[in-house]
Amino acid sequence: MDPNVITSGSFGISWKNTYNAQEVFYAKPLVYTPSGSPSELVITVSNQNIVRIIDGLTGALVKSRTLDPPFQSVDTNCGDIPNTVGITGTPIIDSTTDTLYLFSKGYKGGAVGPAGTINGQYKFYAIHIPTLQDVSGFPVSLEGHFANNDPTRYFVGGTVLQRPSLASIGNVIVGGFGGHCDRFNYTGMLVSVSKTAGVGVTNIIAMEASPGAPSPQALDITVEGGGKAGIWQSGMGVAVDGSRVFFATGNGRGAGDNGSGKPASGKTPISTLQQVVANFAVNPSTGVLTQKDYFEPFEYQSLNGGDRDFGSSGVSLLDPTVFSGTGVSRIAVAGGKSGKVYFLNADDLGGFANGPGGSDNVIQTILNSNSLFSGDFVYAYKMGVDNSGRPLFTLAGKSAANTFAGKGVPTVTSFNGQPGTGIVWIADVNNGLTAYKAVPVNGVLQPITLAATGRLTKFHRPAFGNGRVYVTSANTIIALGGSGTPPLSSSTTSSSSSSSSSSSSSTSSTTSTSKTTSTTVTSSSTTTTGPSTNSATTTTTTTSLTTLITTTTPTATAAPAAYQYIGCFKDKSTGRALPLLFANNSVTPELCIAYAQSLAKKPTPTVLPYVYVEYHRECYGGSSFAFGTSAVTSLTGAHACTDTCSGSIGAATTGTAFCGGPKQFNLYATGGVVSWPSQPTTASV
């Protein structure tokens, strides 16, 4: 975004489209240019489950599609989202396949509501751009899946809300779920879903799980005892750094694992992730989610009692090439309703009460009398270092007037990374689109005059394209640009997205973005989003919007050999002989094999010569067995591998109609050849 164009007087409203009555765009627009497209496309999704593709230059409708009838708000028992709840979390685009991924809320069987909370469901869609046709094997339902860390806690779509922007890591999409006004017997959940057709949900982690969660788990959805700790983040995205994700959770129910007040290491997993910043590892092939680290404020129980969500903001990851210091290579920023903004070491978040006298073990805490996103000044902070070389943030300036209603995430852009071109943008509920020069002058942020957009959607963030910016106001999309802003050439293949992140690695240039908190940290250093040959590509400062471009070269891969059935075997008494690929109620041997074969066909292939199915719903795969010195036992008899596959009850499957059993698995190997660590013995069961 060129400040000279924006301040020239020619930058104004290019087009303004108003759509259906009672339609609202809670999700942020995505700006994307498929290969060969003459202009960038604006993709919108709404609470009415409508997906639209709009020409970014002219505002003309390119394509529209309505998914299932949306969930009715009367069934939420909450007034935060009126009328209907369809698509509320910002989708994400995989630019290597021109595929749009999203979660949509409706009713089982595609019913028209209201049809009761218990009949609600979430579907996960993979939609091709620009045709808006479903990718084969999609959508898939999330209903009926239980949390991998607590089988008593099920995903019940009617009781939860998918609000944060999605993240993409390898072959996996990750989404966060919270609640509707904390009503119902819900627990916040982090969900991973495979991009491979037919696999569906690969992992679910409940933020409140046994043994620390409220117990027993109520079976009535109207009993508000599920533990809460929702992931909602005011719509901000799940932040991505390689194969790890960062997010924040809201208030929980009960004291949780740290109720004793004793200091606890963030590296030791806990079962009650309430009021935390959490770091989870994501296996980019299998989607398995593993808790790695957390930070929980020392006063989290007080925050619970006052309904003061730490998770009302998301997590920002600052650019490590600029924001680092002694002992700190990556900084995470988060805050919430308490008004505190925490600067955290992303590689050692701090755990619980590990600071002096049981305080927070963080890099720095900044106090503000108001909650984040509640309205106030716009603040800018500058990073320096203290006497030990550790990062230290000081107030560099703020807006001259306290006129903001808040509830909007600041975004910082620049013009191709040129120093002095940084602009802070805010989509304010009352003031509309507002902009400032990113570097304060004498402690004051300098405003930039823009065309009046009017009131904008709550928790909204502007989306940027080729010298243009797009915002939403209820059922209206507004585009602003300069009078000389040209269409893109047909050879342009770059993309700009307002979602939290796109793939961290792919076969073409993609963007990984973690959005900001309402505290804007400024620096004269900048980075560029998109290929340098595109002079109008959106750029960002290395502060509150962090970008990463990764490019890999596709590798030709030979087709994997066919899998052959080997037999039924006893698994290890502790752990498993092969790593878990995924577990859900769609598992069959064919699906497990197809998933392994799909990994071998990726641009960066993962070859798994062995796969097995176990306990009726689990798929495992690998290149070598982890039996160690344990004996390998082949099982025969009436009780060997008798679990019917969850995904094909009674159906004939590859080699067997069954999917193992408790600590028993049906094994398949490419070419029918197995390299055992020791010669198997045979036992009858």
Side-chain angles (χ1 to χ4, degrees):
M1 302 296 290
D2 186 351
N4 292 325
V5 173
I6 294 167
T7 59
S8 67
S10 65
F11 190 85
I13 295 177
S14 302
W15 51 264
K16 183 176 180 180
N17 295 346
T18 298
Y19 297 99
N20 298 339
Q22 299 184 340
E23 188 171 19
V24 181
F25 299 102
Y26 293 106
K28 302 156 193 69
L30 299 177
V31 183
Y32 182 64
T33 308
S35 178
S37 176
S39 64
E40 67 192 19
L41 304 176
V42 179
I43 295 125
T44 65
V45 295
S46 77
N47 66 324
Q48 294 182 349
N49 275 341
I50 300 174
V51 183
R52 293 184 180 88
I53 298 178
I54 303 165
D55 186 293
L57 182 63
T58 66
L61 181 66
V62 176
K63 196 80 172 179
S64 177
R65 178 188 172 192
T66 301
L67 309 180
D68 285 351
F71 193 82
Q72 296 291 314
S73 296
V74 67
D75 283 332
T76 69
N77 201 14
C78 168
D80 277 1
I81 298 180
N83 304 311
T84 59
V85 184
I87 307 167
T88 52
T90 303
I92 195 163
I93 297 170
D94 186 336
S95 62
T96 66
T97 59
D98 290 335
T99 302
L100 176 76
Y101 295 98
L102 59 88
F103 291 101
S104 169
K105 186 165 183 170
Y107 293 97
K108 297 171 184 175
V112 176
T117 306
I118 193 63
N119 292 312
Q121 78 166 346
Y122 264 101
K123 284 184 177 180
F124 176 75
Y125 283 84
I127 299 174
H128 180 261
I129 299 173
T131 65
L132 294 188
Q133 296 298 308
D134 288 330
V135 174
S136 178
F138 294 91
V140 295
S141 174
L142 277 63
E143 302 308 305
H145 293 281
F146 55 76
N148 291 73
N149 60 333
D150 189 341
T152 69
R153 295 172 186 272
Y154 279 80
F155 186 95
V156 182
T159 66
V160 294
L161 176 67
Q162 201 287 302
R163 193 68 178 91
S165 305
L166 306 186
S168 175
I169 300 94
N171 196 48
V172 179
I173 300 295
V174 177
F177 289 80
H180 290 287
C181 298
D182 281 344
R183 308 311 301 266
F184 305 113
N185 182 30
Y186 93 94
T187 302
M189 290 183 168
L190 188 70
V191 178
S192 62
V193 188
S194 176
K195 296 178 183 178
T196 300
V199 173
V201 176
T202 58
N203 219 231
I204 296 179
I205 299 296
M207 297 299 102
E208 293 272 342
S210 177
S215 181
Q217 169 70 8
L219 300 179
D220 185 342
I221 66 167
T222 65
V223 176
E224 297 178 9
K228 304 180 183 179
I231 308 171
W232 68 285
Q233 302 191 157
S234 298
M236 287 178 61
V238 175
V240 178
D241 180 26
S243 60
R244 59 180 182 168
V245 295
F246 294 78
F247 58 91
T249 65
N251 53 287
R253 180 177 178 270
D257 288 349
N258 291 327
S260 68
K262 297 179 181 179
S265 169
K267 302 295 186 180
T268 302
I270 59 175
S271 62
T272 54
L273 290 168
Q274 53 183 295
Q275 306 276 20
V276 304
V277 168
N279 164 19
F280 272 72
V282 182
N283 186 305
S285 297
T286 68
V288 171
L289 305 168
T290 305
Q291 185 184 153
K292 290 296 185 181
D293 197 4
Y294 73 90
F295 162 69
E296 187 169 49
F298 72 87
E299 76 271 41
Y300 79 91
Q301 292 195 66
S302 175
L303 298 178
N304 280 344
D307 191 28
R308 297 177 69 78
D309 289 39
F310 184 29
S312 62
S313 84
V315 181
S316 251
L317 295 175
L318 306 186
D319 187 341
T321 65
V322 175
F323 296 99
S324 60
T326 301
V328 180
S329 60
R330 192 76 196 258
I331 297 175
V333 186
K337 292 181 181 178
S338 71
K340 291 183 178 180
V341 178
Y342 299 92
F343 292 84
L344 312 170
N345 183 345
D347 299 316
D348 186 5
L349 291 174
F352 170 71
N354 284 312
S359 62
D360 296 324
N361 180 25
V362 299
I363 297 171
Q364 187 176 348
T365 304
I366 292 175
L367 301 177
N368 192 294
S369 58
N370 289 334
S371 302
L372 267 71
F373 305 138
S374 66
D376 200 340
F377 298 92
V378 179
Y379 297 89
Y381 282 82
K382 180 179 180 179
M383 195 201 83
V385 294
D386 62 15
N387 292 335
S388 64
R390 287 175 61 83
L392 178 66
F393 291 86
T394 56
L395 182 66
K398 63 181 183 180
S399 57
N402 177 5
T403 61
F404 288 93
K407 298 178 176 59
V409 182
T411 306
V412 184
T413 65
S414 71
F415 183 54
N416 291 337
Q418 296 178 18
T421 63
I423 298 175
V424 182
W425 302 82
I426 300 162
D428 191 61
V429 172
N430 289 339
N431 296 331
L433 185 63
T434 307
Y436 292 89
K437 294 181 179 179
V439 179
V441 177
N442 297 323
V444 179
L445 286 167
Q446 303 300 302
I448 296 173
T449 301
L450 298 175
T453 60
R455 293 170 57 88
L456 296 177
T457 305
K458 180 181 178 181
F459 301 141
H460 176 62
R461 198 205 89 166
F464 297 90
N466 184 32
R468 290 183 283 271
V469 57
Y470 305 91
V471 292
T472 70
S473 176
N475 62 345
T476 300
I477 309 293
I478 305 168
L480 293 88
S483 59
T485 304
L488 298 175
S489 68
S490 59
S491 61
T492 301
T493 59
S494 64
S495 67
S496 174
S497 165
S498 71
S499 67
S500 65
S501 65
S502 30
S503 300
S504 57
S505 63
S506 68
T507 56
S508 64
S509 295
T510 60
T511 304
S512 175
T513 305
S514 60
K515 294 194 285 296
T516 73
T517 67
S518 65
T519 301
T520 302
V521 184
T522 61
S523 167
S524 60
S525 299
T526 54
T527 58
T528 303
T529 304
S532 59
T533 54
N534 185 351
S535 61
T537 299
T538 302
T539 60
T540 68
T541 68
T542 55
T543 56
S544 52
L545 187 67
T546 304
T547 57
L548 170 68
I549 300 299
T550 58
T551 303
T552 59
T553 302
T555 303
T557 306
Y563 285 85
Q564 296 181 22
Y565 179 60
I566 304 300
C568 175
F569 295 85
K570 182 180 178 180
D571 212 335
K572 295 173 59 181
S573 58
T574 302
R576 295 293 188 269
L578 294 176
L580 177 69
L581 298 180
F582 64 92
N584 63 35
N585 292 334
S586 299
V587 165
T588 61
E590 294 97 334
L591 180 60
C592 188
I593 289 169
Y595 181 72
Q597 290 173 328
S598 74
L599 298 179
K601 297 176 182 178
K602 296 289 182 182
T604 302
T606 299
V607 178
L608 305 177
Y610 312 121
V611 299
Y612 66 71
V613 286
E614 181 169 325
Y615 199 45
H616 71 84
R617 66 187 304 274
E618 298 172 353
C619 170
Y620 296 81
S623 57
S624 62
F625 294 95
F627 282 107
T629 58
S630 300
V632 180
T633 305
S634 173
L635 300 177
T636 61
H639 301 289
C641 295
T642 57
D643 277 8
T644 303
C645 302
S646 293
S648 58
I649 302 298
T653 59
T654 306
T656 176
F658 302 104
C659 285
K663 293 293 183 177
Q664 299 177 358
F665 61 80
N666 292 106
L667 176 66
Y668 300 81
T670 54
V673 178
V674 181
S675 177
W676 293 111
S678 62
Q679 186 63 32
T681 61
T682 300
S684 179
V685 293

